[in-house]
Amino acid sequence: MAELPQTGKEHADEFVILGVTSKGRQFRPSDWAERLCGVMSCFKPPGSSRGPNAHIRYSPYVYPTLVNGVKAVVVNNAIRNIEPLAYHFVVNFAKDNDLQVVDANAVQPADDSAKKS
């Protein structure tokens, strides 16, 4: 299965999939991040799926954000232990679509308001 590119750092807690291809083109469709996070929304910590709006919240492990005005998805490496197939699905999505993947420590998300937990 696909592995993340080595960044020279120890494994970070999170990595970011940027909505830009390796050739610098913006990835389409424009709502790709929300779609990907919607598919992954069922992966939540035990007990967090409570309340009247629990069914419409993103997973705290995979959520959309903006990085320098570019749509992106933050992926917490904890998903790898929770559901390895989900982790590989996200990593392969990035690889198959030639998207840039960077260590979360290397980017500054616009704000954390996009995170729904």
Side-chain angles (χ1 to χ4, degrees), residues 14-18 63-75 102-115:
E14 296 180 325
F15 62 92
V16 179
I17 302 171
L18 299 173
Y63 57 90
T65 192
L66 286 175
V67 176
N68 297 326
V70 175
K71 287 201 174 192
V73 171
V74 178
V75 181
V102 296
D103 186 317
N105 295 325
V107 296
Q108 182 65 39
D111 66 43
D112 289 334
S113 64
K115 183 176 181 179

Side-chain angles (χ1 to χ4, degrees), residues 40-71:
M40 303 301 290
S41 66
C42 63
F43 299 103
K44 298 176 184 167
S48 67
S49 297
R50 295 188 180 138
N53 295 322
H55 64 285
I56 59 172
R57 293 185 184 175
Y58 293 123
S59 168
Y61 305 116
V62 183
Y63 57 90
T65 192
L66 286 175
V67 176
N68 297 326
V70 175
K71 287 201 174 192

Side-chain angles (χ1 to χ4, degrees), residues 20-22 27-28 91-100:
V20 178
T21 67
S22 65
F27 184 63
R28 298 283 184 204
V91 171
N92 285 327
F93 176 87
K95 181 180 174 186
D96 293 346
N97 290 292
D98 194 30
L99 297 176
Q100 296 178 24

